[in-house]
Amino acid sequence: MAETTLKLFTYAGVLCCLIWNGFAQQGGSDCIKANAKSCGECIQAGPNCGWCKKTDFLQEGEPTSARCDDLAALKSKGCPLEDIENPRGSKQVLENREVTNRKKGAAEKLRPEAITQIQPQKLVLQLRVGEPQTFSLKFKRAEDYPIDLYYLMDLSYSMKDDLENVKSLGTALMFEMEKITSDFRIGFGSFVEKTVMPYISTTPAKLRNPCTGDQNCTSPFSYKNVLSLTSEGNKFNELVSKQHISGNLDSPEGGFDAIMQVAVCGEQIGWRNVTRLLVFSTDAGFHFAGDGKLGGIVLPNDGKCHLENNVYTMSHYYDYPSIAHLVQKLSENNIQTIFAVTEEFQAVYKELKNLIPKSAVGTLSSNSSNVIQLIIDAYNSLSSEVILENTKLPKGVTISYKSFCKNGVNDTQEDGRKCSNISIGDEVRFEINVTANECPKKEQNETIKIKPLGFTEEVEINLQFICECQCQSEGEPNSPACHEGNGTFECGACRCNEGRIGRLCECSTDEVNSEDMDAYCRRENSTEICSNNGECICGQCVCKKRENTNEVYSGKYCECDNFNCDRSNGLICGGNGICKCRVCECFPNFTGSACDCSLDTTPCMASNGQICNGRGTCECGTCNCTDPKFQGPTCEMCQTCLGVCAEHKDCVQCRAFEKGEKKDTCSQECMHFNMTLVESRDKLPQPGQPDPLSHCKEKDVDDCWFYFTYSVNSNGEANVHVVETPECPSGPDIIPIVAGVVAGIVLIGLALLLIWKLLMIIHDRREFAKFEKEKMNAKWDTGENPIYKSAVTTVVNPKYEGK
């Protein structure tokens, strides 16, 4: 038993090795297909590819690219671990300040740049092709974080009543925002439209006062920065109260020009590196790129600041910005936009919000009386969501995000960039994977940045690409090992100089196809170059590769391969050996040309512990029965032998029931087995026990069935279990039989009478119908009877003359 267990463990180990080797070869196929000529090319083929720099690693006929393979395959081919070049990527955190923890109203007032909401701040990633590098990014909303808010208002005539409410906005909004932050600044700007036809009337009178009647309106303008960001709410009220309504001709306004200038004129507006909010208030739609053609303006917006004396001076020269251009500049300057618009234009600006990240839309009342609550609600909505964005990635680099938000909410792909419902003081985490799918052509380092939309803080990531092996820097130029210095010896192989080829750079490109060189690539008495399995390069055979990378040609003349060995069950070497140069090298316990002959005798072991039941020999794991009468996997069956049941029937009958043919000689002939009586058939031994078992059902001299089992244990002892009560057929019950016969006769008689009666009724009805028919068809003769004589005699008076 112990020996059998040991063998099973041995086979399991061999099977595991085969499976692992199969997976390694499958993974290594990408490395082999890369046909790498150097270590650098090899490690770029895949993250599991390694390069063996051992000098004598290659066999005859193998190309230099055979040094590149899966790590497990290289080890199995005999390359020591220390000679395998397999550089791995890494990450290094350079700046990792902890996120700021402080409460509103704290005695210490930090400068905005001293507040940290994102961690880490700077790191270096060394990237190998196909191997992702992962790092964790933490974000925490700081309490009492400074806010800059710029109120940009439409001053066209339709906003006249709104201006009156905005004039007191400064102090009121300062009071409400103090509940959120102790460091709040507010600014104000206004816009109308481009100062060219057909957007405004250019008549002198309309340029002075574009409004009709006795309305006192200011001259039309594109955009004015009325008040740069300040912490003085009273100053906001003072300057805004001095503003006057203007007018224009068309309904859409030039608000996009104003938004662009607010975004890019950071110095004039006074933006700090804090939370930046832009409130855009209007009751009309907007012009965008292309609409300037109506006024003869065709130059696209340049996205630069053009404020002179706080007035946009190039509205007549540059077209309106496009939405994409606006999104780019708002994102670059970390500005979050709140569109405060009337109910009529809600649908338009909600569509615009979907195109501008970190923006919100609020419904402005007809006179802007609800603007403060609108700003508070929009700010809470914007600040409760964090969305990560990254700068443009270098070619071949991909990035993926996985978010770990509040309440165990996790997301991947595009939703992995954001977390919602974040309150002040909440901490969320993002897992970021950066993968290089190819090396840059110039092999230069690249820098990307990741930041939360609407925030000035960012993570700076320096990408360093692993495109060469360490051993390449240790290469020896013009090395003697490369045929008199015709190449650089690096990583165990020669990298030939221009114009030289060969494994050792021993040939020039002019000598490659010469017939003299081909003679070195032919076997003796053969005309085939490299056995037709390779090409002759520099007098040496370089074996060709097959489509299946697990199939390899080798040998000095490429005469060997590992796939043309004998097969068994459709497998090379039966799956029990390795094919080397078209000959199977079998694993232990296997032999034969296809390793299909197992030396293990376990399959031949009978249940009684004997090999082939002692009736044959075990050859290749199969019993060869020496007695032709026996057959079966362990020579256990004999078709011409008397069956076990019939053979022991008389002895079982005489010992269990004291009857049968051997009743008188039972004690002499039937004592060769042990007998046990059981109550019923269910108590008989069942199949599955270690000893061979036969179930028998036989008839005794009284035509009764008796049941028994016959088995032989490993010691050769026969055991018989017999059901103590035979099953005898019971006699017939006479009364039911007689009653049934009588009842059957009576029923048959009644049935015959009924049938006779039915036939008679049918016959009578037919006769009566026939009589009726003849009666109706009868015809009677109406002539006189010739023998009839009347009883009346008429006498005529002869003398009567009729007078």
Side-chain angles (χ1 to χ4, degrees):
M1 183 65 183
E3 184 182 353
T4 303
T5 305
L6 181 61
K7 288 178 179 178
L8 288 174
F9 275 116
T10 302
Y11 292 139
V14 171
L15 182 60
C16 289
C17 290
L18 283 172
I19 293 173
W20 169 254
N21 196 27
F23 278 121
Q25 289 179 337
Q26 186 176 3
S29 63
D30 291 334
C31 308
I32 297 172
K33 287 178 181 177
N35 198 26
K37 298 295 191 299
S38 67
C39 186
E41 292 181 14
C42 178
I43 62 173
Q44 293 180 45
N48 297 319
C49 298
W51 177 272
C52 183
K53 61 182 181 181
K54 185 181 178 184
T55 307
D56 57 350
F57 171 71
L58 295 178
Q59 299 179 11
E60 278 190 311
E62 283 190 302
T64 303
S65 60
R67 292 181 177 273
C68 182
D69 207 339
D70 185 89
L71 303 179
L74 291 176
K75 292 177 186 177
S76 66
K77 292 178 181 178
C79 187
L81 186 61
E82 60 272 14
D83 285 336
I84 297 178
E85 283 286 324
N86 180 35
R88 311 311 301 177
S90 63
K91 66 178 178 182
Q92 180 184 4
V93 179
L94 301 180
E95 194 173 336
N96 193 29
R97 296 190 309 274
E98 291 289 334
V99 291
T100 303
N101 290 306
R102 72 164 186 159
K103 298 292 183 181
K104 186 174 179 292
E108 180 188 7
K109 188 171 183 179
L110 298 176
R111 292 179 293 107
E113 55 269 21
I115 299 174
T116 302
Q117 297 183 108
I118 191 169
Q119 181 186 1
Q121 294 79 39
K122 193 172 184 180
L123 67 158
V124 175
L125 296 182
Q126 289 192 321
L127 299 178
R128 176 175 169 180
V129 173
E131 181 187 24
Q133 290 300 317
T134 304
F135 68 95
S136 184
L137 184 149
K138 182 164 59 175
F139 177 85
K140 183 177 182 180
R141 275 191 63 193
E143 190 170 350
D144 197 23
Y145 193 69
I147 299 174
D148 284 353
L149 185 146
Y150 192 85
Y151 195 92
L152 183 61
M153 184 175 180
D154 177 8
L155 283 189
S156 59
Y157 188 77
S158 58
M159 294 287 286
K160 179 180 179 182
D161 55 346
D162 300 77
L163 180 60
E164 294 302 318
N165 286 313
V166 174
K167 288 178 180 180
S168 60
L169 176 67
T171 52
L173 186 58
M174 292 284 287
F175 177 78
E176 291 296 331
M177 294 302 288
E178 282 179 358
K179 300 175 184 178
I180 299 175
T181 176
S182 60
D183 188 356
F184 176 71
R185 299 198 310 165
I186 188 170
F188 183 82
S190 59
F191 67 91
V192 181
E193 187 56 277
K194 288 185 180 295
T195 55
V196 295
M197 282 289 289
Y199 313 110
I200 65 168
S201 175
T202 56
T203 61
K206 289 295 183 181
L207 286 176
R208 289 191 299 271
N209 183 359
C211 300
T212 58
D214 57 352
Q215 298 291 333
N216 185 21
C217 298
T218 188
S219 299
F221 57 92
S222 177
Y223 161 67
K224 286 182 184 178
N225 174 32
V226 178
L227 175 66
S228 298
L229 291 163
T230 178
S231 57
E232 300 177 21
N234 292 327
K235 190 174 182 180
F236 180 94
N237 294 350
E238 178 186 348
L239 288 176
V240 173
S241 63
K242 296 178 181 179
Q243 301 303 306
H244 296 283
I245 292 296
S246 184
N248 63 319
L249 296 179
D250 61 341
S251 176
E253 313 294 0
F256 275 17
D257 272 342
I259 293 176
M260 176 62 76
Q261 293 303 301
V262 172
V264 299
C265 298
E267 291 184 7
Q268 290 87 335
I269 303 298
W271 292 118
R272 298 177 295 172
N273 285 330
V274 297
T275 298
R276 299 175 177 180
L277 299 179
L278 170 61
V279 180
F280 182 84
S281 175
T282 185
D283 64 349
F286 48 83
H287 285 296
F288 53 89
D291 288 353
K293 291 180 179 179
L294 295 173
I297 303 172
V298 295
L299 284 179
N301 195 289
D302 64 351
K304 295 180 181 179
C305 182
H306 297 287
L307 290 186
E308 293 183 12
N309 297 322
N310 288 321
V311 176
Y312 179 40
T313 59
M314 302 296 285
S315 67
H316 64 287
Y317 192 76
Y318 289 116
D319 193 5
Y320 302 98
S322 66
I323 295 176
H325 197 183
L326 215 55
V327 169
Q328 177 191 354
K329 292 302 179 180
L330 288 171
S331 177
E332 284 179 2
N333 294 281
N334 305 304
I335 296 174
Q336 304 177 61
T337 311
I338 300 172
F339 295 105
V341 297
T342 54
E343 182 70 34
E344 180 184 357
F345 288 94
Q346 279 287 302
V348 175
Y349 281 91
K350 283 183 178 178
E351 290 296 326
L352 181 61
K353 165 190 170 293
N354 294 333
L355 300 174
I356 302 179
K358 293 293 282 185
S359 62
V361 177
T363 304
L364 191 67
S365 61
S366 59
N367 59 1
S368 299
S369 59
N370 67 330
V371 67
I372 292 179
Q373 189 58 47
L374 184 154
I375 292 172
I376 299 294
D377 293 342
Y379 169 74
N380 289 332
S381 173
L382 289 172
S383 59
S384 67
E385 183 177 58
V386 57
I387 304 174
L388 297 183
E389 69 166 358
N390 52 266
T391 56
K392 184 178 179 181
L393 298 172
K395 183 181 178 182
V397 175
T398 58
I399 190 168
S400 64
Y401 297 83
K402 183 176 182 181
S403 60
F404 298 87
C405 307
K406 287 175 61 177
N407 304 321
V409 177
N410 301 338
D411 271 313
T412 55
Q413 297 180 351
E414 282 303 310
D415 289 336
R417 292 175 174 264
K418 64 182 180 180
C419 282
S420 303
N421 301 319
I422 303 172
S423 304
I424 292 175
D426 287 342
E427 184 176 293
V428 295
R429 186 171 64 86
F430 296 88
E431 192 175 88
I432 302 173
N433 283 329
V434 181
T435 308
N437 299 309
E438 61 182 66
C439 276
K441 292 182 178 179
K442 297 182 180 179
E443 298 183 11
Q444 59 187 8
N445 297 342
E446 299 279 356
T447 298
I448 62 172
K449 295 180 180 180
I450 298 175
K451 68 174 184 178
L453 278 175
F455 294 85
T456 56
E457 297 175 66
E458 61 189 13
V459 180
E460 182 179 318
I461 307 171
N462 182 252
L463 304 181
Q464 298 178 359
F465 299 92
I466 303 174
C467 301
E468 297 288 350
C469 300
Q470 179 64 32
C471 60
Q472 288 181 267
S473 62
E474 303 168 357
E476 181 185 357
N478 302 319
S479 172
C482 300
H483 193 73
E484 300 177 354
N486 287 317
T488 301
F489 188 76
E490 60 182 27
C491 303
C494 286
R495 180 162 56 85
C496 299
N497 295 336
E498 188 175 353
R500 304 295 297 186
I501 59 173
R503 186 187 292 184
L504 300 177
C505 309
E506 64 270 32
C507 292
S508 69
T509 52
D510 300 330
E511 301 172 335
V512 172
N513 297 320
S514 66
E515 295 184 3
D516 292 339
M517 290 293 181
D518 290 347
Y520 293 103
C521 298
R522 281 193 289 263
R523 299 173 70 179
E524 190 176 354
N525 298 325
S526 174
T527 59
E528 296 177 344
I529 296 176
C530 299
S531 306
N532 288 335
N533 296 324
E535 59 179 319
C536 185
I537 298 178
C538 215
Q540 291 184 339
C541 285
V542 176
C543 303
K544 64 183 179 183
K545 296 181 179 179
R546 290 178 59 84
E547 186 175 348
N548 183 350
T549 55
N550 293 327
E551 298 178 354
V552 178
Y553 289 111
S554 61
K556 182 178 180 179
Y557 303 104
C558 302
E559 74 278 10
C560 297
D561 62 60
N562 66 346
F563 54 89
N564 274 323
C565 291
D566 290 344
R567 296 173 180 255
S568 177
N569 297 323
L571 300 175
I572 296 174
C573 301
N576 302 317
I578 299 174
C579 181
K580 290 187 177 181
C581 204
R582 303 186 180 182
V583 177
C584 286
E585 290 188 4
C586 301
F587 297 141
N589 283 333
F590 289 95
T591 186
S593 62
C595 301
D596 53 350
C597 181
S598 173
L599 301 178
D600 183 20
T601 59
T602 303
C604 300
M605 192 70 68
S607 56
N608 59 7
Q610 294 181 312
I611 293 178
C612 302
N613 276 300
R615 300 167 183 150
T617 58
C618 186
E619 298 176 2
C620 298
T622 304
C623 281
N624 183 16
C625 304
T626 53
D627 189 336
K629 293 189 300 181
F630 291 92
Q631 56 184 340
T634 56
C635 303
E636 73 279 8
M637 296 189 310
C638 178
Q639 300 292 345
T640 59
C641 301
L642 189 63
V644 172
C645 297
E647 181 181 353
H648 299 285
K649 166 187 172 182
D650 293 333
C651 284
V652 172
Q653 188 178 2
C654 78
R655 287 190 59 182
F657 309 112
E658 297 182 353
K659 54 186 176 181
E661 296 180 1
K662 296 186 178 182
K663 176 181 177 182
D664 298 331
T665 59
C666 193
S667 57
Q668 290 82 25
E669 299 182 18
C670 299
M671 302 306 293
H672 58 278
F673 57 82
N674 301 320
M675 188 182 71
T676 303
L677 296 176
V678 297
E679 295 179 0
S680 63
R681 294 169 60 184
D682 296 337
K683 299 296 178 66
L684 290 172
Q686 299 301 317
Q689 64 178 26
D691 300 331
L693 179 70
S694 298
H695 276 261
C696 302
K697 175 184 177 182
E698 298 290 341
K699 269 189 177 181
D700 62 12
V701 293
D702 299 324
D703 283 338
C704 295
W705 293 101
F706 65 97
Y707 300 88
F708 66 94
T709 62
Y710 183 88
S711 62
V712 180
N713 62 22
S714 58
N715 296 325
E717 297 177 348
N719 295 301
V720 176
H721 290 74
V722 188
V723 178
E724 59 186 6
T725 305
E727 291 183 2
C728 298
S730 57
D733 192 348
I734 301 301
I735 293 176
I737 295 174
V738 172
V741 172
V742 172
I745 293 172
V746 171
L747 290 174
I748 292 172
L750 289 174
L752 292 174
L753 286 174
L754 288 174
I755 292 170
W756 176 81
K757 181 64 177 175
L758 181 61
L759 293 174
M760 292 304 296
I761 291 172
I762 293 171
H763 179 268
D764 289 347
R765 287 184 177 180
R766 286 179 176 174
E767 289 296 323
F768 180 75
K770 183 178 179 181
F771 168 74
E772 288 290 330
K773 184 177 181 181
E774 290 179 353
K775 180 180 176 182
M776 292 176 65
N777 295 333
K779 294 183 179 180
W780 304 99
D781 190 4
T782 56
E784 292 185 359
N785 192 342
I787 63 173
Y788 172 74
K789 290 184 178 183
S790 176
V792 179
T793 304
T794 303
V795 180
V796 179
N797 188 353
K799 297 291 189 178
Y800 179 70
E801 293 180 355
K803 294 181 180 178

